[in-house]
Amino acid sequence: MTESTPEPSAPKTVHTFCRYCMCSCGLEVTVEDNRIRKISADKANPHSWRDFCAKGRTADQMVAHPRRILAPMRRVGDTYVEDTWEAALTDIAARMNALIAEGGPDAIGSYYGNPSGHSSSNVMFMNAWMDAIGTNSRFAVGSVDQNALHVVAEAMYGSSLMVPVSDVDNCDYFLLVGTNPAVSGWVWLESVPGGWRRALARQAGGATIVVVDPMRTESAEKADVHLAVRPGQDWALLLAMVKVILDEGLQHRQDCAELATGVGELQRLVADADLDDLAARCGIDRELIERTARDFAAARGAMVVTRTGVSQHEAGTVGEWLGHVLNVITGRMDRPGGRRFEPGYFDALKLAELAKTEPHLSRVAGRPMVAGAHALAELPDEITTPGRGQIKAMLINCGNPVISGPDGGKLDRALAQLDLLVVIDLVQRESHRHAHWLLPAAHWLERDDLMAFTSNMHDEPYVQYGAKVVDPPPGVRQEWEIFVDLALAMRRPLFGVRGFNTFIRATRRIAALTRRPALAFGPHWLDRLFVRMSRKINGRRLTWRELMAHPHGMVLGPREFGHFKDALRTEDKLVHAAPPEFLARTRELLAAPGPAAPEGYPFQLGNRRNRHSMNSWLNELPGLHRSGKHNEVLINAKDAADLGVADGDLVRVFSPVGEIVLAAAVSERPRRGMVIVDHGWGSRIFDPRGGRQPESFGVNRNLLVAGESVDPLSQTSPLSSSYVGVERV
Ligand SMILES: Nc1nc2c(c(=O)[nH]1)N[C@H]1C(S)=C(S)[C@@H](COP(=O)(O)OP(=O)(O)OC[C@H]3O[C@@H](n4cnc5c(=O)[nH]c(N)nc54)[C@H](O)[C@@H]3O)O[C@H]1N2
Ligand SMILES: Nc1nc2c(c(=O)[nH]1)N[C@H]1C(S)=C(S)[C@@H](COP(=O)(O)OP(=O)(O)OC[C@H]3O[C@@H](n4cnc5c(=O)[nH]c(N)nc54)[C@H](O)[C@@H]3O)O[C@H]1N2
Ligand code: SF4
Ligand SMILES: [Mo]
């Protein structure tokens, strides 16, 4: 018997949760010899056990991805060669330090994408590294996603993280605006596991579901009422509803007087708006709006829920705000069937206050940051415009901004001119094609996570330790460690705190001497601290031992009302229903003419999410999209007839900034005058290790979105507002 043959280990079962989306579904994973054999839903997870999808079931395919990066890879000409971490960190640190010496800290830019938010340590340590450098060139996914909610929460409730959660099980009237929970789950800085199934159960018991969406989605199909709003005009629809409620005196008197300030300003605002004008703008009959407003106000338990369909437009923040206003003025905050504040086991709002970034105006466009980052739409010009502060090096962490953001073509050209592009990912995708260094990251099945900062976003007090299921391949590292090592290699103090690097080195020396790796500083220190800082629930505080003893997760107590007012971070402890900047922007929108298509581009380009995709990733996995790996353009049957386009025909969809060619699907689902293309496709997956040809599926519809305009309040790109032309090829 040779010593080097490892003993085969007996199969074991690990309980954890999926970290692809906020649904956080409990998983039961069977493992043998550090290989995943099977992933099933964890039926013993008290929070989520019934919610589980094909993406979670096939997560092992991402772990065993045939094109996965397994060691740092350095660009040599048009190919890549594997190198050591030591070499990678030394080279990157030296090049970044030289660029800082020449152009200042802002020469180093960064972008983090959606998956970073599903790790307990990633964004925190990325920020610690950016603080070490002192760069203001920070970009993030929020400006193509949830910034509007952060801006509204900050202005109305006093904290960008004070996000209300939905009390689905007591709701009698759901007004779902710009969301398709049947496909995307009940998630967006809140998570209600099985939320759509639970809403349908309420409907079976008599509740009403209204879906506001320009497309007849899977959710709209099941709704009692479908309002096919004109894209980008939710603000007009919701303002009209606010007007009906205030003009007819249907508001909740007590909350309007005691919970909120600004209702008088709202009354003055709606006095200057005209219902027929608003109805014409949003394309919905005035009578239908009036009826919906009255029914909403009269329902016992009711909620408005707004999501990406509202935010990804130039008036997105106003739409988001008016959704919250409807909830506030009809007494839905902190009442059964409405929206609550979940205090959770950990006060993430406090953490957010500590982590606030210094205010900064961007160099080229002169715009402030939102939620700690500048808008992705500004990144290309910040790279290509000469001058002090010009971005010369970029680090992309968990992101695919060429696909997920506006005008990917322009960003791609800008990334090509960088002196240094560093990517941390599992595979090399479209946005990474010009990378000088590819640094391999661990998959969530390969790391531990305690998601303390989403504690307030679940619809009940819930905690689960996201246990690691398998060890990562030896050459792979977690992001936090990469950021720590990079700060050390650059000799810049992590978190911007002098002496911190010395402290980290000391803990590492002690760990090495004592052979106890846990003594080296890392996120596990913070996890323990967060548990120790946890809030008492039912008179008891969570303990680390208890957390470890509950691998299926714990529901820490019942859903409670009565925490909302206490949690408000506004100075007067009241909801600010009418922040002046929102009022001003609404008056601006009212004064502008209604929406009209520009000459030559008669259609509005809508968007769709796919059950089997996670934004731009997972498309390539063999276990998903069995019916075909591609996207298509949905065209309303009447529009298709006018264009002479039949089902399956190839069509060209074009805008002033780009064009794509794809097959048409003639459908009754889109509203007339709009065409719909799923986002997240058309991202090449390269093979830096094997050297095979890139794989690509579908086309990138965001190539058609111009980058110039953004919602001025949240700086969100209007990804679902572009006007396009369509013709048969
Ligand atoms: N038209 C249109 N565009 C949209 C949207 C839309 O609705 N319509 N939706 C927007 C929304 S809501 C979002 S959130 C964005 C997403 O935009 P992004 O976050 O920029 O892009 P993703 O497609 O999520 O790409 C994530 C990348 O992270 C990598 N990755 C996965 N897990 C890890 C990990 O643990 N560590 C590391 N280092 N890398 C990892 C993946 O391989 C992938 O390359 O797209 C936005 N774009
Ligand atoms: N399967 C799957 N699930 C996901 C994701 C995924 O990629 N795949 N992504 C996750 C992420 S990162 C996020 S942020 C959430 C997003 O969750 P949701 O916001 O629910 O995302 P969508 O399913 O894209 O729903 C948005 C809806 O808005 C509609 N819409 C577009 N324009 C307008 C408009 O002007 N007004 C109105 N009223 N509606 C409009 C679109 O037709 C679409 O049906 O989903 C998460 N869940
Ligand atoms: S991707 Fe699927 S399994 Fe994973 S958390 Fe989301 S809904 Fe659950
Ligand atoms: Mo998102």
Side-chain angles (χ1 to χ4, degrees), residues 70-91:
L70 294 169
M73 302 198 83
R74 178 205 294 267
R75 183 182 207 101
V76 180
D78 281 340
T79 58
Y80 288 87
V81 291
E82 286 193 0
D83 212 329
T84 61
W85 278 100
E86 174 74 27
L89 293 164
T90 309
D91 183 62

Side-chain angles (χ1 to χ4, degrees), residues 84-324:
T84 61
W85 278 100
E86 174 74 27
L89 293 164
T90 309
D91 183 62
I92 296 165
R95 288 162 79 171
M96 284 188 172
N97 276 339
L99 291 170
I100 295 170
E102 208 179 295
D106 293 344
I108 314 300
S110 65
Y111 171 83
Y112 63 84
N114 174 273
S116 61
H118 299 283
S119 152
S120 55
S121 51
N122 188 330
V123 178
M124 192 188 305
F125 282 81
M126 184 171 182
N127 274 306
W129 169 73
M130 293 189 288
D131 289 346
I133 296 176
T135 178
N136 293 302
S137 301
R138 303 172 185 213
F139 299 82
V141 65
S143 62
V144 287
D145 184 0
Q146 74 218 10
N147 268 3
L149 177 51
H150 288 307
V151 169
V152 168
E154 177 85 43
M156 290 182 77
Y157 313 128
S159 165
S160 61
L161 280 188
M162 186 159 167
V163 286
V165 296
S166 306
D167 182 30
V168 169
D169 304 320
N170 291 306
C171 184
D172 304 301
Y173 198 101
F174 296 91
L175 183 62
L176 307 179
V177 193
T179 179
N180 185 16
V183 167
S184 53
W186 201 289
V187 289
W188 204 46
L189 287 170
E190 75 154 332
S191 148
V192 180
W196 179 239
R197 178 177 43 75
R198 284 157 63 182
L200 291 177
R202 288 296 294 174
Q203 187 189 38
T208 302
I209 299 180
V210 180
V211 167
V212 182
D213 198 306
M215 154 149 153
R216 201 171 83 239
T217 58
E218 295 80 348
S219 307
E221 207 129 70
K222 294 269 171 70
D224 300 277
V225 183
H226 172 211
L227 303 181
V229 67
R230 176 173 294 137
Q233 302 301 313
D234 299 282
W235 71 273
L237 169 67
L238 297 171
L239 185 64
M241 289 184 63
V242 171
K243 179 171 171 66
V244 172
I245 288 166
L246 292 179
D247 284 357
E248 299 185 6
L250 306 176
Q251 68 270 36
H252 191 281
R253 306 262 163 208
Q254 189 190 353
D255 280 7
C256 285
E258 293 168 17
L259 178 68
T261 60
V263 178
E265 278 96 323
L266 288 173
Q267 266 156 339
R268 280 190 286 283
L269 175 72
V270 297
D272 295 339
D274 174 65
L275 274 187
D276 291 317
D277 170 60
L278 293 173
R281 285 174 190 267
C282 68
I284 295 178
D285 284 347
R286 177 184 166 153
E287 290 70 34
L288 191 51
I289 300 176
E290 288 172 325
R291 197 168 346 124
T292 310
R294 289 176 196 135
D295 290 350
F296 181 79
R300 199 182 45 143
M303 66 173 80
V304 180
V305 173
T306 40
R307 301 252 200 266
T308 60
V310 175
S311 72
Q312 292 171 346
H313 297 280
E314 277 179 51
T317 306
V318 172
E320 177 68 26
W321 164 56
L322 291 168
H324 289 249

Side-chain angles (χ1 to χ4, degrees), residues 19-20 62 111-116 118-119 122 140-146 188 308-309 311-312 376 396-406 423-432 439-444 447 477-479 482 605-609 614-618 620 677-680 683 700-702 705 718-720:
R19 276 151 271 167
Y20 280 147
M62 194 68 218
Y111 171 83
Y112 63 84
N114 174 273
S116 61
H118 299 283
S119 152
N122 188 330
V141 65
S143 62
V144 287
D145 184 0
Q146 74 218 10
W188 204 46
T308 60
S311 72
Q312 292 171 346
L376 177 53
I396 298 178
N397 170 20
C398 296
N400 199 358
V402 169
I403 302 296
S404 49
V423 165
I424 309 178
D425 207 299
L426 286 93
V427 293
Q428 185 186 17
R429 295 189 200 274
E430 192 65 42
S431 308
H432 317 145
L439 304 180
H443 187 272
W444 49 263
R447 62 171 199 247
R477 290 194 184 168
Q478 287 185 45
E479 293 82 358
I482 302 174
L605 178 64
N607 190 75
R608 199 157 61 138
R609 247 162 247 276
M614 209 42 233
N615 294 306
S616 77
W617 55 307
L618 308 185
E620 71 273 17
V677 184
D678 301 25
H679 82 287
S683 175
N700 177 11
R701 50 88 76 203
N702 283 356
V705 179
L719 295 166
S720 296

Side-chain angles (χ1 to χ4, degrees), residues 18-21 23-25 27 51-56 614:
C18 175
R19 276 151 271 167
Y20 280 147
C21 83
C23 293
S24 315
C25 302
L27 302 181
D51 211 21
F52 176 60
C53 80
K55 301 189 289 301
M614 209 42 233

Side-chain angles (χ1 to χ4, degrees), residues 327-368:
N327 284 329
V328 170
I329 63 170
T330 58
R332 310 311 182 178
M333 303 312 286
D334 213 15
R335 289 215 174 75
R339 314 277 310 260
R340 281 185 322 115
F341 179 74
E342 171 51 59
Y345 65 96
F346 184 76
D347 187 352
L349 277 58
K350 198 180 277 170
L351 200 64
E353 277 155 26
L354 293 174
K356 265 208 168 138
T357 24
E358 291 295 311
H360 177 258
L361 293 183
S362 55
R363 184 174 64 101
V364 180
R367 298 193 197 122

